[in-house]
Amino acid sequence: MRAFQSFALVIAVIVTTAGQLAPVHVGAEELPASETAGLATHTEESLEASILAAPELLLFQEIPIVVTASRIEERVTEAPASVTVITRQQILSSGAISIPDLLRMVPGVDVMQSTGANWEVSIRGVIQPMSNKALVLVDGRTVYNDLYASVNWHGLPVVLEDIERIEIIRGPLSSLWGANASLGVINIITRSAAQSQGTSATAAWGTRGTVRANVIHGGELGDRGIRYKLSAAREEVGQWTAYRPDAREGFIGDRKAGAATKANLAVEWDRRDGSNWTLHAGESESGALIFIDYSATQRLWEEDVKYVSLDYSKDDLSVRAYWNGTRIDYSEYELPTATVYTDLYNLEALKSQTLDKHAVVYGASYRRKAVGQANFRLLDDAHRQHLWAAYVEDAYQASERTKLVLSARYDRHPLAGGRVSGRATAMYSPTPRQTLRLSAANAFRSPTFLESYLEISIPLPPPLPPTGVWGNTGLDYEGITAYDLEYRAELSPRTSADLCVFYNELQDFILYDVILDVPRQQQFANLGAARARGAEVEVRRALSPVLSGFANYTYLSVEGVGAIEDRHDSLVKHAPRHKANLGFTLSDPDRGLNGSLLLSYRDKVVVRDQSAGPYVLVNGYVGKKIGDNAEAGISFFNLANRKHQQFTRGDYIGRRIMGSVRWEF
């Protein structure tokens, strides 16, 4: 409680001393003019006088461009949703070894680490093992696995140093992105080949068996407008606490919690007719100890992910086709290994155009999903599903101060049937430096292959029926109805503030239902509901041309209804009621200094007779440039070494110190 009071006091002091507020999105890099052409610029005139009086303030006016909130480029200050951008400078200065560790700094985002290589991420509540209610994208391509309804963060085919920015949408967005964007969207945007010309390499070693090494190289093929980028990485993380006896012996001997090998290729072709073709391909082979349920048992999860994506764009038309292929080897103590294969094929076209005061985006997609298995009968058979969707959004600039945004999408699932999702947003700017936004939306999550087709049947001596767990092909979608009100204010060319309050109603959770007690038989069913309400406040301040800071606080209350309250309360109790962050980022090219400091507080959670937290993390990085092309640094995680659990049955998290060197040629 003392730690929480300290954070609240820090936030109050920053708000009180900030002066008159103005927008700042510190640390964002300027995008090329071609990417910002045609975007609304109503904030520029309001800042012109300040910039003329103090030209150095241009350093603080680099407002990020985002694409996730409306599927077209727009300034983050004008997006019809609660958006947070983690910039490249923040990523490189963080010392983080994983994307979830970066997401800790974002208000409204819950991060729960249960082993050295297993993280769960959710937005505005409902966090659990195998969290499944936030859609995760890489360059707009889903990495959500439809077999088991979650994201393997450790095995994502992404290199941290290759990320340009991460866009986080806090709130439902199924009206544009479809199934699984229930509580929000996390879009990891990598650097283009044009931004990656030359070679960079990173090598890092640390305590707890942590090793990171990667190389990124970009070049051009002649003068034909063809650029390419290659990356390769090896990442290993060690255990926090001793392994459970059911873990595989090979991992025990190496004391690894996880290991991953990654490789990626990108090729871009800018043609003379103004069109662009982009090819992405890659693979990640990983193994990690994870929790897949609320038992105290860790499982070894080995995953091989491959993908190929081809994009075409010209003027206001874009077309994308991609394939995700996954092989999962799942090991459980004293049981044979289950090997499961999944394939996802996706084809999508999107068109945008401006009609008088209307900015319209519309598109359609087709998706084919397939799953098969070998060695162990996990599903009742191999299965294929065909899914169709169409969507449209209209942003109507009703007046200079008022904008209305309406979006709707229709999805068709072969088992759950048709589903319409929508979002309505009204934005009003009483002054050019303030924006008030009110949104209402509904969203959904589709049943996964396991939830629909799972078959674990264990025969018992006659006349007893078998015991086991079964899927249910009659499942309905999980749903959510959400409302949020946001106030964004620009305090000065150096400071911005954001306050958002929200209320969510979640319906038809897909959970185990006990259909027979003796012998125990369970089947997936739509059970219970939950209500979530909360508030998020954040203040960002450019303290000097080289130092920026932020403070944020999140309040969240989640309560279950029906079966959630009676039998599955773990779903809603792992999200802490209070969260707060205080962070600083340093970037001083003249002195060759680079660094960050993040203080992160999470409230205690109590689930039945077990608890986790509270805890305060002290994370950061200090780097010094060596010569013209290299930077050496030291990063730390949980510097105070306050051992704690973030998951009630998870490992006790300790301290990690790393040294690193990054070269650029």
Side-chain angles (χ1 to χ4, degrees):
M1 180 57 69
R2 289 182 179 177
F4 168 67
Q5 292 173 342
S6 300
F7 273 95
L9 179 61
V10 169
I11 293 174
V13 170
I14 291 178
V15 172
T16 304
T17 60
Q20 297 183 343
L21 290 177
V24 143
H25 299 272
V26 185
E29 297 185 9
E30 286 280 5
L31 293 180
S34 60
E35 297 189 27
T36 59
L39 296 170
T41 56
H42 70 273
T43 58
E44 293 178 359
E45 293 181 1
S46 66
L47 299 173
E48 183 177 358
S50 297
I51 292 173
L52 290 175
E56 71 277 6
L57 295 184
L58 280 168
L59 292 170
F60 309 110
Q61 297 311 313
E62 299 168 351
I63 300 176
I65 304 300
V66 296
V67 297
T68 311
S70 296
R71 302 197 66 152
I72 58 173
E73 292 179 345
E74 60 189 343
R75 292 177 182 271
V76 69
T77 52
E78 297 164 357
S82 296
V83 185
T84 298
V85 178
I86 301 177
T87 67
R88 178 165 177 79
Q89 179 59 47
Q90 290 174 311
I91 295 169
L92 294 180
S93 301
S94 68
I97 69 165
S98 73
I99 293 172
D101 283 340
L102 292 168
L103 296 173
R104 293 180 189 275
M105 70 177 73
V106 179
V109 173
D110 292 301
V111 176
M112 182 174 78
Q113 185 172 13
S114 54
T115 76
N118 184 204
W119 296 264
E120 303 295 343
V121 177
S122 189
I123 300 174
R124 293 179 175 175
V126 191
I127 188 167
Q128 64 189 94
M130 313 297 277
S131 289
N132 56 22
K133 293 171 178 58
L135 180 64
V136 181
L137 309 168
V138 174
D139 296 322
R141 174 183 59 84
T142 180
V143 291
Y144 177 97
N145 190 298
D146 290 286
L147 171 67
Y148 56 90
S150 190
V151 173
N152 178 9
W153 292 97
H154 177 66
L156 283 183
V158 177
V159 179
L160 277 178
E161 287 77 6
D162 192 33
I163 298 175
E164 177 62 20
R165 67 185 186 275
I166 303 174
E167 299 178 8
I168 301 98
I169 308 297
R170 310 189 312 274
L173 204 53
S174 287
S175 59
L176 288 177
W177 291 101
N180 313 321
S182 303
L183 295 176
V185 180
I186 299 170
N187 194 3
I188 304 159
I189 299 174
T190 61
R191 309 202 83 194
S192 67
Q195 294 171 308
S196 306
Q197 298 297 288
T199 303
S200 66
T202 301
W205 302 266
T207 59
R208 311 253 177 207
T210 308
V211 177
R212 297 186 68 249
N214 61 69
V215 177
I216 304 170
H217 173 73
E220 292 190 61
L221 299 177
D223 58 355
R224 303 176 58 183
I226 300 177
R227 301 181 181 91
Y228 66 90
K229 178 186 65 175
L230 295 165
S231 67
R234 174 67 179 180
E235 300 170 359
E236 297 182 3
V237 290
Q239 60 175 300
W240 290 115
T241 53
Y243 284 123
R244 310 296 194 269
D246 54 351
R248 180 174 289 184
E249 290 295 331
F251 251 42
I252 293 176
D254 292 337
R255 297 183 62 83
K256 291 190 184 74
T261 303
K262 307 176 182 182
N264 295 278
L265 165 70
V267 179
E268 300 168 1
W269 183 19
D270 294 319
R271 302 189 63 190
R272 292 186 176 89
D273 63 0
S275 64
N276 173 271
W277 292 84
T278 302
L279 171 70
H280 287 95
E283 181 176 8
S284 173
E285 293 185 356
S286 65
L289 290 173
I290 69 171
F291 289 87
I292 65 170
D293 52 38
Y294 285 93
S295 70
T297 306
Q298 296 176 354
R299 320 288 195 215
L300 178 61
W301 193 274
E302 295 178 291
E303 188 167 295
D304 181 7
V305 177
K306 299 180 177 69
Y307 72 93
V308 178
S309 176
L310 181 63
D311 292 83
Y312 166 83
S313 64
K314 183 178 181 182
D315 300 327
D316 297 323
L317 173 68
S318 62
V319 179
R320 163 174 290 176
Y322 66 82
W323 163 73
N324 293 342
T326 305
R327 171 187 166 132
I328 297 170
D329 290 323
Y330 163 72
S331 297
E332 189 169 350
Y333 184 56
E334 292 185 347
L335 287 176
T337 298
T339 301
V340 185
Y341 301 88
T342 66
D343 289 284
L344 169 68
Y345 300 89
N346 191 89
L347 177 63
E348 183 171 9
L350 180 147
K351 174 75 172 176
S352 63
Q353 59 187 108
T354 301
L355 304 171
D356 192 19
K357 294 183 178 181
H358 298 264
V360 181
V361 177
Y362 53 93
S365 68
Y366 163 73
R367 181 170 292 184
R368 177 184 181 273
K369 300 188 298 185
V371 60
Q373 73 285 335
N375 302 337
F376 182 60
R377 194 170 179 79
L378 185 63
L379 307 177
D380 62 4
D381 203 349
H383 294 278
R384 294 174 178 81
Q385 294 180 347
H386 302 271
L387 301 93
W388 304 84
Y391 55 90
V392 61
E393 178 173 278
D394 180 13
Y396 172 54
Q397 193 72 46
S399 68
E400 184 179 355
R401 296 184 177 183
T402 306
K403 182 167 74 171
L404 303 175
V405 182
L406 300 175
S407 58
R409 177 174 171 128
Y410 176 79
D411 285 84
R412 183 73 185 177
H413 188 280
L415 299 178
R419 178 82 178 204
V420 176
S421 52
R423 178 181 66 171
T425 299
M427 301 176 67
Y428 175 68
S429 299
T431 72
R433 297 188 176 189
Q434 301 176 76
T435 301
L436 190 66
R437 179 186 60 82
L438 176 64
S439 295
N442 70 322
F444 67 98
R445 183 180 75 84
S446 299
T448 66
F449 279 111
L450 281 182
E451 291 164 344
S452 297
Y453 306 118
L454 178 67
E455 183 180 272
I456 299 178
S457 180
I458 303 174
L460 295 177
L464 293 175
T467 182
V469 183
W470 291 272
N472 183 354
T473 57
L475 290 171
D476 198 359
Y477 298 97
E478 288 187 346
I480 179 173
T481 303
Y483 308 90
D484 65 340
L485 176 65
E486 183 179 31
Y487 173 70
R488 296 191 289 245
E490 306 172 352
L491 299 186
S492 80
R494 294 176 178 234
T495 314
S496 68
D498 190 325
L499 171 65
C500 186
V501 294
F502 60 89
Y503 175 76
N504 296 339
E505 291 185 350
L506 299 97
Q507 310 96 19
D508 298 321
F509 279 87
I510 299 175
L511 301 165
Y512 290 123
D513 186 22
V514 178
I515 57 178
L516 184 66
D517 282 326
V518 182
R520 193 170 184 84
Q521 296 183 3
Q522 299 180 88
Q523 184 179 41
F524 283 104
N526 292 104
L527 298 173
R531 293 187 292 264
R533 57 178 63 88
E536 302 152 356
V537 60
E538 181 168 55
V539 177
R540 291 183 172 270
R541 173 77 175 171
L543 302 170
S544 76
V546 299
L547 181 65
S548 62
F550 70 89
N552 60 53
Y553 165 74
T554 302
Y555 170 80
L556 174 68
S557 174
V558 187
E559 56 186 24
V561 179
I564 301 298
E565 182 180 25
D566 297 337
R567 306 195 303 275
H568 298 279
D569 57 343
S570 299
L571 272 174
V572 298
K573 289 188 175 179
H574 265 105
R577 186 175 292 262
H578 302 285
K579 300 186 289 287
N581 296 298
L582 177 64
F584 302 92
T585 300
L586 172 69
S587 178
D588 189 347
D590 293 339
R591 294 179 175 85
L593 296 176
N594 189 28
S596 69
L597 177 66
L598 174 66
L599 307 178
S600 185
Y601 168 79
R602 295 297 182 269
D603 198 9
K604 181 179 182 179
V605 297
V606 179
V607 181
R608 298 171 189 166
D609 59 343
Q610 296 183 316
S611 64
Y615 63 89
V616 176
L617 290 176
V618 181
N619 302 341
Y621 171 79
V622 178
K624 180 69 171 71
K625 194 170 184 180
I626 302 174
D628 295 331
N629 301 320
E631 178 178 297
I634 297 176
S635 61
F636 47 88
F637 174 87
N638 193 18
L639 182 63
N641 199 26
R642 296 181 178 271
K643 293 187 177 180
H644 63 276
Q645 288 177 296
Q646 299 178 12
F647 172 52
T648 54
R649 294 179 180 268
D651 288 352
Y652 281 87
I653 309 298
R655 178 170 55 205
R656 180 178 59 240
I657 307 292
M658 294 185 65
S660 63
V661 179
R662 185 167 61 243
W663 297 269
E664 292 185 355
F665 305 98

